Amino acid sequence: MLTKKQLALLEFIHKRLQQDGVPPSFDEMKTALDLRSKSGIHRLITALEERGFIRRLAHRARAIEIVRLPENMMAASDQPDFSPEVIQGGKQSAPPVEMIGAMELPVMGRIAAGVPIEAISQVSHQVAVPTAMLSSAGQHFALEVKGDSMINAGINDGDVVVIRECATADNGEIVVALVEGQEATLKRIYKSGNRITLEAENPNYEPREYPASLVQVQGKLVGLIRSY
């Protein structure tokens, strides 16, 4: 039996995983539950983990998986056969795409989660992505992450991110941004007047500010695939 706060936190994490493909930060959890300190969030997460509802991945920032949901949440969910948004497993002995409810997306090279790198637009290979991770609107593609600037968003070097093509994004969303027409990077975006700031999720990287005319949003993060 979960307390109201435990259930509220589980629902919030579940919703953010469905929307963004990554769990919320501790600050976002604290704000959502109207708590005064992060210690309360730590206690709630520990309680959910002890009860078998979530799992924390060791040595990975903000890496939380939902293992199961309470029956009342399962009944209200659009995905009764819930599975974590971080997809684990190697590349060998995978079941056929049709059996796991997935579709293949093109992996369009590598994207910098660090300083911007030259954009790569040629398809390198295909990756099977669960259809529940994809929205009905827009086209999708995948990119392999290079760098560690988004580790506090649970995005590590070597991960494959699933991107929905779009030209606009709200403040705070994680996007693929094309800078000066030739360098692509994965960052949180913030717009203020005619300036755009691309912000990392790693304190070792400074935010980078550009004139809005030099930054083009190419898509938003909707999912994450990780192989071990």
Side-chain angles (χ1 to χ4, degrees), residues 91-169:
K91 297 181 180 179
Q92 297 181 353
S93 303
V97 170
E98 311 85 55
M99 293 178 60
I100 60 174
M103 67 177 296
E104 290 196 344
L105 292 182
V107 179
M108 308 293 288
R110 308 183 78 183
I111 181 74
V115 297
I117 60 174
E118 183 179 357
I120 300 176
S121 59
Q122 294 184 350
V123 177
S124 61
H125 61 281
Q126 301 281 326
V127 64
V129 177
T131 53
M133 194 181 287
L134 309 176
S135 64
S136 58
Q139 299 295 313
H140 296 77
F141 61 94
L143 291 162
E144 183 181 348
V145 174
K146 177 179 175 61
D148 64 355
S149 78
M150 298 302 287
I151 57 173
N152 287 344
I155 303 172
N156 301 324
D157 183 55
D159 286 346
V160 172
V161 289
V162 181
I163 305 296
R164 178 172 65 84
E165 289 186 24
C166 62
T168 60

Side-chain angles (χ1 to χ4, degrees), residues 78-98:
D78 292 332
Q79 303 177 51
D81 297 323
F82 175 78
S83 59
E85 288 293 331
V86 177
I87 307 301
Q88 301 186 38
K91 297 181 180 179
Q92 297 181 353
S93 303
V97 170
E98 311 85 55

Side-chain angles (χ1 to χ4, degrees), residues 166-186:
C166 62
T168 60
D170 294 329
N171 281 347
E173 290 188 307
I174 298 176
V175 303
V176 173
L178 188 65
V179 180
E180 298 186 27
Q182 58 184 0
E183 294 180 324
T185 188
L186 185 72

